[in-house]
PDB file of all heavy atoms in Angstrom:
ATOM      1  N   PRO A  19       3.665   7.203  -7.162  1.00  0.00           N
ATOM      2  CA  PRO A  19       2.641   8.212  -6.898  1.00  0.00           C
ATOM      3  C   PRO A  19       2.522   8.606  -5.433  1.00  0.00           C
ATOM      4  O   PRO A  19       2.299   9.781  -5.122  1.00  0.00           O
ATOM      5  CB  PRO A  19       1.350   7.543  -7.395  1.00  0.00           C
ATOM      6  CG  PRO A  19       1.792   6.543  -8.387  1.00  0.00           C
ATOM      7  CD  PRO A  19       3.112   6.044  -7.887  1.00  0.00           C
ATOM      8  N   VAL A  20       2.669   7.639  -4.539  1.00  0.00           N
ATOM      9  CA  VAL A  20       2.550   7.955  -3.113  1.00  0.00           C
ATOM     10  C   VAL A  20       3.668   8.904  -2.684  1.00  0.00           C
ATOM     11  O   VAL A  20       3.428   9.917  -2.007  1.00  0.00           O
ATOM     12  CB  VAL A  20       2.564   6.656  -2.276  1.00  0.00           C
ATOM     13  CG1 VAL A  20       2.814   6.952  -0.804  1.00  0.00           C
ATOM     14  CG2 VAL A  20       1.235   5.916  -2.439  1.00  0.00           C
ATOM     15  N   ILE A  21       4.895   8.610  -3.070  1.00  0.00           N
ATOM     16  CA  ILE A  21       6.003   9.485  -2.681  1.00  0.00           C
ATOM     17  C   ILE A  21       5.916  10.823  -3.415  1.00  0.00           C
ATOM     18  O   ILE A  21       6.248  11.882  -2.855  1.00  0.00           O
ATOM     19  CB  ILE A  21       7.350   8.785  -2.918  1.00  0.00           C
ATOM     20  CG1 ILE A  21       7.455   7.556  -2.005  1.00  0.00           C
ATOM     21  CG2 ILE A  21       8.514   9.738  -2.669  1.00  0.00           C
ATOM     22  CD1 ILE A  21       8.730   6.765  -2.155  1.00  0.00           C
ATOM     23  N   ASN A  22       5.442  10.803  -4.647  1.00  0.00           N
ATOM     24  CA  ASN A  22       5.227  12.057  -5.375  1.00  0.00           C
ATOM     25  C   ASN A  22       4.231  12.939  -4.624  1.00  0.00           C
ATOM     26  O   ASN A  22       4.432  14.161  -4.480  1.00  0.00           O
ATOM     27  CB  ASN A  22       4.705  11.758  -6.779  1.00  0.00           C
ATOM     28  CG  ASN A  22       4.755  12.955  -7.691  1.00  0.00           C
ATOM     29  OD1 ASN A  22       5.807  13.319  -8.203  1.00  0.00           O
ATOM     30  ND2 ASN A  22       3.614  13.594  -7.900  1.00  0.00           N
ATOM     31  N   ALA A  23       3.156  12.340  -4.134  1.00  0.00           N
ATOM     32  CA  ALA A  23       2.160  13.086  -3.364  1.00  0.00           C
ATOM     33  C   ALA A  23       2.759  13.644  -2.079  1.00  0.00           C
ATOM     34  O   ALA A  23       2.456  14.774  -1.661  1.00  0.00           O
ATOM     35  CB  ALA A  23       0.964  12.195  -3.047  1.00  0.00           C
ATOM     36  N   TYR A  24       3.615  12.874  -1.456  1.00  0.00           N
ATOM     37  CA  TYR A  24       4.268  13.333  -0.223  1.00  0.00           C
ATOM     38  C   TYR A  24       5.137  14.560  -0.495  1.00  0.00           C
ATOM     39  O   TYR A  24       5.095  15.555   0.235  1.00  0.00           O
ATOM     40  CB  TYR A  24       5.106  12.195   0.350  1.00  0.00           C
ATOM     41  CG  TYR A  24       5.804  12.534   1.641  1.00  0.00           C
ATOM     42  CD1 TYR A  24       5.113  12.507   2.851  1.00  0.00           C
ATOM     43  CD2 TYR A  24       7.158  12.861   1.662  1.00  0.00           C
ATOM     44  CE1 TYR A  24       5.752  12.807   4.046  1.00  0.00           C
ATOM     45  CE2 TYR A  24       7.798  13.165   2.849  1.00  0.00           C
ATOM     46  CZ  TYR A  24       7.097  13.138   4.038  1.00  0.00           C
ATOM     47  OH  TYR A  24       7.736  13.442   5.215  1.00  0.00           O
ATOM     48  N   LYS A  25       5.916  14.517  -1.559  1.00  0.00           N
ATOM     49  CA  LYS A  25       6.827  15.612  -1.867  1.00  0.00           C
ATOM     50  C   LYS A  25       6.083  16.894  -2.234  1.00  0.00           C
ATOM     51  O   LYS A  25       6.569  18.000  -1.982  1.00  0.00           O
ATOM     52  CB  LYS A  25       7.761  15.214  -3.011  1.00  0.00           C
ATOM     53  CG  LYS A  25       8.700  14.061  -2.682  1.00  0.00           C
ATOM     54  CD  LYS A  25       9.797  14.476  -1.715  1.00  0.00           C
ATOM     55  CE  LYS A  25      10.873  15.276  -2.408  1.00  0.00           C
ATOM     56  NZ  LYS A  25      12.014  15.593  -1.528  1.00  0.00           N
ATOM     57  N   ASP A  26       4.886  16.751  -2.825  1.00  0.00           N
ATOM     58  CA  ASP A  26       4.120  17.925  -3.233  1.00  0.00           C
ATOM     59  C   ASP A  26       2.965  18.237  -2.290  1.00  0.00           C
ATOM     60  O   ASP A  26       2.099  19.053  -2.614  1.00  0.00           O
ATOM     61  CB  ASP A  26       3.582  17.729  -4.663  1.00  0.00           C
ATOM     62  CG  ASP A  26       4.673  17.872  -5.711  1.00  0.00           C
ATOM     63  OD1 ASP A  26       5.723  18.459  -5.407  1.00  0.00           O
ATOM     64  OD2 ASP A  26       4.476  17.378  -6.839  1.00  0.00           O
ATOM     65  N   SER A  27       2.952  17.615  -1.128  1.00  0.00           N
ATOM     66  CA  SER A  27       1.927  17.884  -0.102  1.00  0.00           C
ATOM     67  C   SER A  27       0.517  17.732  -0.672  1.00  0.00           C
ATOM     68  O   SER A  27      -0.354  18.580  -0.458  1.00  0.00           O
ATOM     69  CB  SER A  27       2.118  19.283   0.493  1.00  0.00           C
ATOM     70  OG  SER A  27       3.395  19.427   1.057  1.00  0.00           O
ATOM     71  N   THR A  28       0.296  16.640  -1.378  1.00  0.00           N
ATOM     72  CA  THR A  28      -1.002  16.363  -2.001  1.00  0.00           C
ATOM     73  C   THR A  28      -1.782  15.369  -1.153  1.00  0.00           C
ATOM     74  O   THR A  28      -1.268  14.296  -0.837  1.00  0.00           O
ATOM     75  CB  THR A  28      -0.804  15.780  -3.410  1.00  0.00           C
ATOM     76  OG1 THR A  28      -0.062  16.712  -4.203  1.00  0.00           O
ATOM     77  CG2 THR A  28      -2.141  15.505  -4.072  1.00  0.00           C
ATOM     78  N   PRO A  29      -3.024  15.687  -0.785  1.00  0.00           N
ATOM     79  CA  PRO A  29      -3.804  14.742   0.031  1.00  0.00           C
ATOM     80  C   PRO A  29      -4.217  13.529  -0.800  1.00  0.00           C
ATOM     81  O   PRO A  29      -4.830  13.661  -1.857  1.00  0.00           O
ATOM     82  CB  PRO A  29      -5.019  15.569   0.462  1.00  0.00           C
ATOM     83  CG  PRO A  29      -5.158  16.625  -0.589  1.00  0.00           C
ATOM     84  CD  PRO A  29      -3.762  16.932  -1.056  1.00  0.00           C
ATOM     85  N   LEU A  30      -3.868  12.355  -0.318  1.00  0.00           N
ATOM     86  CA  LEU A  30      -4.102  11.123  -1.062  1.00  0.00           C
ATOM     87  C   LEU A  30      -4.415  10.011  -0.072  1.00  0.00           C
ATOM     88  O   LEU A  30      -3.743   9.888   0.953  1.00  0.00           O
ATOM     89  CB  LEU A  30      -2.853  10.770  -1.883  1.00  0.00           C
ATOM     90  CG  LEU A  30      -2.917   9.550  -2.800  1.00  0.00           C
ATOM     91  CD1 LEU A  30      -3.782   9.858  -4.014  1.00  0.00           C
ATOM     92  CD2 LEU A  30      -1.515   9.141  -3.255  1.00  0.00           C
ATOM     93  N   VAL A  31      -5.438   9.235  -0.376  1.00  0.00           N
ATOM     94  CA  VAL A  31      -5.723   8.020   0.390  1.00  0.00           C
ATOM     95  C   VAL A  31      -5.503   6.843  -0.553  1.00  0.00           C
ATOM     96  O   VAL A  31      -6.233   6.672  -1.536  1.00  0.00           O
ATOM     97  CB  VAL A  31      -7.153   8.025   0.950  1.00  0.00           C
ATOM     98  CG1 VAL A  31      -7.448   6.685   1.634  1.00  0.00           C
ATOM     99  CG2 VAL A  31      -7.338   9.172   1.944  1.00  0.00           C
ATOM    100  N   ALA A  32      -4.471   6.066  -0.272  1.00  0.00           N
ATOM    101  CA  ALA A  32      -4.090   4.926  -1.104  1.00  0.00           C
ATOM    102  C   ALA A  32      -4.507   3.642  -0.380  1.00  0.00           C
ATOM    103  O   ALA A  32      -3.989   3.344   0.704  1.00  0.00           O
ATOM    104  CB  ALA A  32      -2.592   4.931  -1.370  1.00  0.00           C
ATOM    105  N   ILE A  33      -5.428   2.919  -0.988  1.00  0.00           N
ATOM    106  CA  ILE A  33      -5.991   1.720  -0.359  1.00  0.00           C
ATOM    107  C   ILE A  33      -5.448   0.488  -1.075  1.00  0.00           C
ATOM    108  O   ILE A  33      -5.512   0.382  -2.305  1.00  0.00           O
ATOM    109  CB  ILE A  33      -7.532   1.740  -0.428  1.00  0.00           C
ATOM    110  CG1 ILE A  33      -8.064   2.979   0.331  1.00  0.00           C
ATOM    111  CG2 ILE A  33      -8.120   0.459   0.146  1.00  0.00           C
ATOM    112  CD1 ILE A  33      -9.563   3.179   0.183  1.00  0.00           C
ATOM    113  N   VAL A  34      -4.918  -0.438  -0.301  1.00  0.00           N
ATOM    114  CA  VAL A  34      -4.367  -1.683  -0.835  1.00  0.00           C
ATOM    115  C   VAL A  34      -5.245  -2.836  -0.352  1.00  0.00           C
ATOM    116  O   VAL A  34      -5.424  -3.023   0.858  1.00  0.00           O
ATOM    117  CB  VAL A  34      -2.912  -1.904  -0.371  1.00  0.00           C
ATOM    118  CG1 VAL A  34      -2.367  -3.207  -0.951  1.00  0.00           C
ATOM    119  CG2 VAL A  34      -2.034  -0.737  -0.790  1.00  0.00           C
ATOM    120  N   LEU A  35      -5.789  -3.591  -1.292  1.00  0.00           N
ATOM    121  CA  LEU A  35      -6.692  -4.688  -0.961  1.00  0.00           C
ATOM    122  C   LEU A  35      -5.989  -6.025  -1.139  1.00  0.00           C
ATOM    123  O   LEU A  35      -5.441  -6.309  -2.203  1.00  0.00           O
ATOM    124  CB  LEU A  35      -7.921  -4.662  -1.880  1.00  0.00           C
ATOM    125  CG  LEU A  35      -8.753  -3.373  -1.911  1.00  0.00           C
ATOM    126  CD1 LEU A  35      -9.924  -3.559  -2.859  1.00  0.00           C
ATOM    127  CD2 LEU A  35      -9.237  -3.008  -0.516  1.00  0.00           C
ATOM    128  N   ASP A  36      -6.028  -6.840  -0.110  1.00  0.00           N
ATOM    129  CA  ASP A  36      -5.542  -8.214  -0.229  1.00  0.00           C
ATOM    130  C   ASP A  36      -6.767  -9.080  -0.500  1.00  0.00           C
ATOM    131  O   ASP A  36      -7.436  -9.547   0.415  1.00  0.00           O
ATOM    132  CB  ASP A  36      -4.841  -8.640   1.062  1.00  0.00           C
ATOM    133  CG  ASP A  36      -4.345 -10.075   0.966  1.00  0.00           C
ATOM    134  OD1 ASP A  36      -4.254 -10.591  -0.162  1.00  0.00           O
ATOM    135  OD2 ASP A  36      -4.059 -10.669   2.014  1.00  0.00           O
ATOM    136  N   GLN A  37      -7.062  -9.277  -1.793  1.00  0.00           N
ATOM    137  CA  GLN A  37      -8.296  -9.976  -2.166  1.00  0.00           C
ATOM    138  C   GLN A  37      -8.137 -11.476  -2.318  1.00  0.00           C
ATOM    139  O   GLN A  37      -9.106 -12.217  -2.210  1.00  0.00           O
ATOM    140  CB  GLN A  37      -8.804  -9.420  -3.508  1.00  0.00           C
ATOM    141  CG  GLN A  37      -9.202  -7.959  -3.443  1.00  0.00           C
ATOM    142  CD  GLN A  37      -9.513  -7.430  -4.832  1.00  0.00           C
ATOM    143  OE1 GLN A  37      -8.610  -7.195  -5.605  1.00  0.00           O
ATOM    144  NE2 GLN A  37     -10.788  -7.279  -5.137  1.00  0.00           N
ATOM    145  N   TYR A  38      -6.922 -11.919  -2.576  1.00  0.00           N
ATOM    146  CA  TYR A  38      -6.780 -13.296  -3.041  1.00  0.00           C
ATOM    147  C   TYR A  38      -5.986 -14.196  -2.100  1.00  0.00           C
ATOM    148  O   TYR A  38      -6.010 -15.412  -2.243  1.00  0.00           O
ATOM    149  CB  TYR A  38      -6.118 -13.309  -4.419  1.00  0.00           C
ATOM    150  CG  TYR A  38      -6.851 -12.436  -5.394  1.00  0.00           C
ATOM    151  CD1 TYR A  38      -6.267 -11.269  -5.879  1.00  0.00           C
ATOM    152  CD2 TYR A  38      -8.143 -12.761  -5.800  1.00  0.00           C
ATOM    153  CE1 TYR A  38      -6.954 -10.452  -6.756  1.00  0.00           C
ATOM    154  CE2 TYR A  38      -8.834 -11.944  -6.678  1.00  0.00           C
ATOM    155  CZ  TYR A  38      -8.240 -10.787  -7.155  1.00  0.00           C
ATOM    156  OH  TYR A  38      -8.916  -9.984  -8.016  1.00  0.00           O
ATOM    157  N   GLY A  39      -5.249 -13.626  -1.167  1.00  0.00           N
ATOM    158  CA  GLY A  39      -4.410 -14.468  -0.330  1.00  0.00           C
ATOM    159  C   GLY A  39      -4.719 -14.284   1.137  1.00  0.00           C
ATOM    160  O   GLY A  39      -5.593 -13.512   1.529  1.00  0.00           O
ATOM    161  N   ARG A  40      -3.988 -14.968   1.958  1.00  0.00           N
ATOM    162  CA  ARG A  40      -4.151 -14.848   3.402  1.00  0.00           C
ATOM    163  C   ARG A  40      -3.498 -13.573   3.879  1.00  0.00           C
ATOM    164  O   ARG A  40      -2.376 -13.243   3.512  1.00  0.00           O
ATOM    165  CB  ARG A  40      -3.513 -16.044   4.099  1.00  0.00           C
ATOM    166  CG  ARG A  40      -4.302 -17.331   3.952  1.00  0.00           C
ATOM    167  CD  ARG A  40      -3.523 -18.491   4.535  1.00  0.00           C
ATOM    168  NE  ARG A  40      -2.962 -18.154   5.840  1.00  0.00           N
ATOM    169  CZ  ARG A  40      -1.966 -18.833   6.411  1.00  0.00           C
ATOM    170  NH1 ARG A  40      -1.428 -19.854   5.773  1.00  0.00           N
ATOM    171  NH2 ARG A  40      -1.518 -18.483   7.584  1.00  0.00           N
ATOM    172  N   ALA A  41      -4.199 -12.839   4.707  1.00  0.00           N
ATOM    173  CA  ALA A  41      -3.705 -11.535   5.154  1.00  0.00           C
ATOM    174  C   ALA A  41      -2.379 -11.640   5.889  1.00  0.00           C
ATOM    175  O   ALA A  41      -1.500 -10.807   5.721  1.00  0.00           O
ATOM    176  CB  ALA A  41      -4.741 -10.887   6.074  1.00  0.00           C
ATOM    177  N   ASP A  42      -2.218 -12.686   6.680  1.00  0.00           N
ATOM    178  CA  ASP A  42      -0.995 -12.758   7.476  1.00  0.00           C
ATOM    179  C   ASP A  42       0.225 -13.069   6.620  1.00  0.00           C
ATOM    180  O   ASP A  42       1.358 -12.954   7.075  1.00  0.00           O
ATOM    181  CB  ASP A  42      -1.135 -13.814   8.587  1.00  0.00           C
ATOM    182  CG  ASP A  42      -1.442 -15.202   8.028  1.00  0.00           C
ATOM    183  OD1 ASP A  42      -1.828 -15.287   6.850  1.00  0.00           O
ATOM    184  OD2 ASP A  42      -1.298 -16.173   8.784  1.00  0.00           O
ATOM    185  N   GLU A  43       0.009 -13.484   5.364  1.00  0.00           N
ATOM    186  CA  GLU A  43       1.131 -13.725   4.474  1.00  0.00           C
ATOM    187  C   GLU A  43       1.357 -12.534   3.542  1.00  0.00           C
ATOM    188  O   GLU A  43       2.395 -11.904   3.544  1.00  0.00           O
ATOM    189  CB  GLU A  43       0.885 -14.988   3.636  1.00  0.00           C
ATOM    190  CG  GLU A  43       0.883 -16.258   4.466  1.00  0.00           C
ATOM    191  CD  GLU A  43       0.588 -17.469   3.603  1.00  0.00           C
ATOM    192  OE1 GLU A  43       0.320 -17.285   2.400  1.00  0.00           O
ATOM    193  OE2 GLU A  43       0.612 -18.590   4.128  1.00  0.00           O
ATOM    194  N   ARG A  44       0.349 -12.177   2.732  1.00  0.00           N
ATOM    195  CA  ARG A  44       0.571 -11.224   1.641  1.00  0.00           C
ATOM    196  C   ARG A  44       0.863  -9.825   2.147  1.00  0.00           C
ATOM    197  O   ARG A  44       1.783  -9.182   1.685  1.00  0.00           O
ATOM    198  CB  ARG A  44      -0.627 -11.215   0.698  1.00  0.00           C
ATOM    199  CG  ARG A  44      -0.843 -12.599   0.140  1.00  0.00           C
ATOM    200  CD  ARG A  44      -1.398 -12.678  -1.198  1.00  0.00           C
ATOM    201  NE  ARG A  44      -1.058 -11.628  -2.116  1.00  0.00           N
ATOM    202  CZ  ARG A  44      -1.297 -11.729  -3.403  1.00  0.00           C
ATOM    203  NH1 ARG A  44      -1.849 -12.832  -3.867  1.00  0.00           N
ATOM    204  NH2 ARG A  44      -1.009 -10.761  -4.222  1.00  0.00           N
ATOM    205  N   LEU A  45       0.075  -9.322   3.062  1.00  0.00           N
ATOM    206  CA  LEU A  45       0.310  -7.965   3.543  1.00  0.00           C
ATOM    207  C   LEU A  45       1.647  -7.870   4.265  1.00  0.00           C
ATOM    208  O   LEU A  45       2.318  -6.840   4.213  1.00  0.00           O
ATOM    209  CB  LEU A  45      -0.823  -7.521   4.460  1.00  0.00           C
ATOM    210  CG  LEU A  45      -2.139  -7.153   3.750  1.00  0.00           C
ATOM    211  CD1 LEU A  45      -3.195  -6.787   4.766  1.00  0.00           C
ATOM    212  CD2 LEU A  45      -1.944  -6.020   2.767  1.00  0.00           C
ATOM    213  N   ALA A  46       2.014  -8.921   4.943  1.00  0.00           N
ATOM    214  CA  ALA A  46       3.292  -8.887   5.649  1.00  0.00           C
ATOM    215  C   ALA A  46       4.464  -8.980   4.683  1.00  0.00           C
ATOM    216  O   ALA A  46       5.522  -8.394   4.902  1.00  0.00           O
ATOM    217  CB  ALA A  46       3.358 -10.034   6.661  1.00  0.00           C
ATOM    218  N   ASP A  47       4.278  -9.717   3.584  1.00  0.00           N
ATOM    219  CA  ASP A  47       5.373  -9.897   2.638  1.00  0.00           C
ATOM    220  C   ASP A  47       5.680  -8.638   1.850  1.00  0.00           C
ATOM    221  O   ASP A  47       6.833  -8.267   1.661  1.00  0.00           O
ATOM    222  CB  ASP A  47       5.036 -11.029   1.655  1.00  0.00           C
ATOM    223  CG  ASP A  47       5.142 -12.396   2.323  1.00  0.00           C
ATOM    224  OD1 ASP A  47       5.689 -12.442   3.432  1.00  0.00           O
ATOM    225  OD2 ASP A  47       4.686 -13.378   1.718  1.00  0.00           O
ATOM    226  N   ILE A  48       4.642  -7.972   1.335  1.00  0.00           N
ATOM    227  CA  ILE A  48       4.831  -6.779   0.511  1.00  0.00           C
ATOM    228  C   ILE A  48       3.904  -5.699   1.042  1.00  0.00           C
ATOM    229  O   ILE A  48       2.705  -5.701   0.774  1.00  0.00           O
ATOM    230  CB  ILE A  48       4.522  -7.061  -0.977  1.00  0.00           C
ATOM    231  CG1 ILE A  48       5.418  -8.182  -1.503  1.00  0.00           C
ATOM    232  CG2 ILE A  48       4.719  -5.793  -1.805  1.00  0.00           C
ATOM    233  CD1 ILE A  48       5.112  -8.586  -2.918  1.00  0.00           C
ATOM    234  N   SER A  49       4.455  -4.811   1.808  1.00  0.00           N
ATOM    235  CA  SER A  49       3.667  -3.751   2.424  1.00  0.00           C
ATOM    236  C   SER A  49       4.000  -2.421   1.763  1.00  0.00           C
ATOM    237  O   SER A  49       5.155  -1.984   1.753  1.00  0.00           O
ATOM    238  CB  SER A  49       3.973  -3.668   3.927  1.00  0.00           C
ATOM    239  OG  SER A  49       3.478  -2.464   4.470  1.00  0.00           O
ATOM    240  N   LEU A  50       2.995  -1.775   1.172  1.00  0.00           N
ATOM    241  CA  LEU A  50       3.213  -0.456   0.586  1.00  0.00           C
ATOM    242  C   LEU A  50       3.694   0.525   1.640  1.00  0.00           C
ATOM    243  O   LEU A  50       4.570   1.360   1.379  1.00  0.00           O
ATOM    244  CB  LEU A  50       1.917   0.050  -0.062  1.00  0.00           C
ATOM    245  CG  LEU A  50       1.954   1.473  -0.617  1.00  0.00           C
ATOM    246  CD1 LEU A  50       3.035   1.628  -1.676  1.00  0.00           C
ATOM    247  CD2 LEU A  50       0.584   1.858  -1.186  1.00  0.00           C
ATOM    248  N   ALA A  51       3.151   0.422   2.834  1.00  0.00           N
ATOM    249  CA  ALA A  51       3.559   1.330   3.912  1.00  0.00           C
ATOM    250  C   ALA A  51       5.052   1.211   4.200  1.00  0.00           C
ATOM    251  O   ALA A  51       5.742   2.214   4.407  1.00  0.00           O
ATOM    252  CB  ALA A  51       2.755   1.042   5.168  1.00  0.00           C
ATOM    253  N   GLU A  52       5.566  -0.035   4.191  1.00  0.00           N
ATOM    254  CA  GLU A  52       6.993  -0.218   4.448  1.00  0.00           C
ATOM    255  C   GLU A  52       7.834   0.186   3.247  1.00  0.00           C
ATOM    256  O   GLU A  52       8.896   0.784   3.389  1.00  0.00           O
ATOM    257  CB  GLU A  52       7.259  -1.672   4.831  1.00  0.00           C
ATOM    258  CG  GLU A  52       6.646  -2.056   6.175  1.00  0.00           C
ATOM    259  CD  GLU A  52       6.952  -3.494   6.552  1.00  0.00           C
ATOM    260  OE1 GLU A  52       7.752  -4.134   5.831  1.00  0.00           O
ATOM    261  OE2 GLU A  52       6.383  -3.980   7.546  1.00  0.00           O
TER     262      GLU A  52
END
């Protein structure tokens, strides 16, 4: 969906919550931005 929005110039705010693990591990391991 994020790349689909990019290709069609659709405004989208995609929020990813790290609710259960340590931020320095989970966000670094699997980053939607990357």
Side-chain angles (χ1 to χ4, degrees):
V20 165
I21 296 179
N22 193 78
Y24 181 80
K25 296 288 283 185
D26 286 341
S27 302
T28 301
L30 183 73
V31 175
I33 299 173
V34 180
L35 304 181
D36 179 17
Q37 296 172 285
Y38 306 112
R40 287 174 46 198
D42 58 345
E43 293 178 356
R44 301 211 32 167
L45 285 178
D47 286 348
I48 302 176
S49 166
L50 175 59
E52 293 181 7

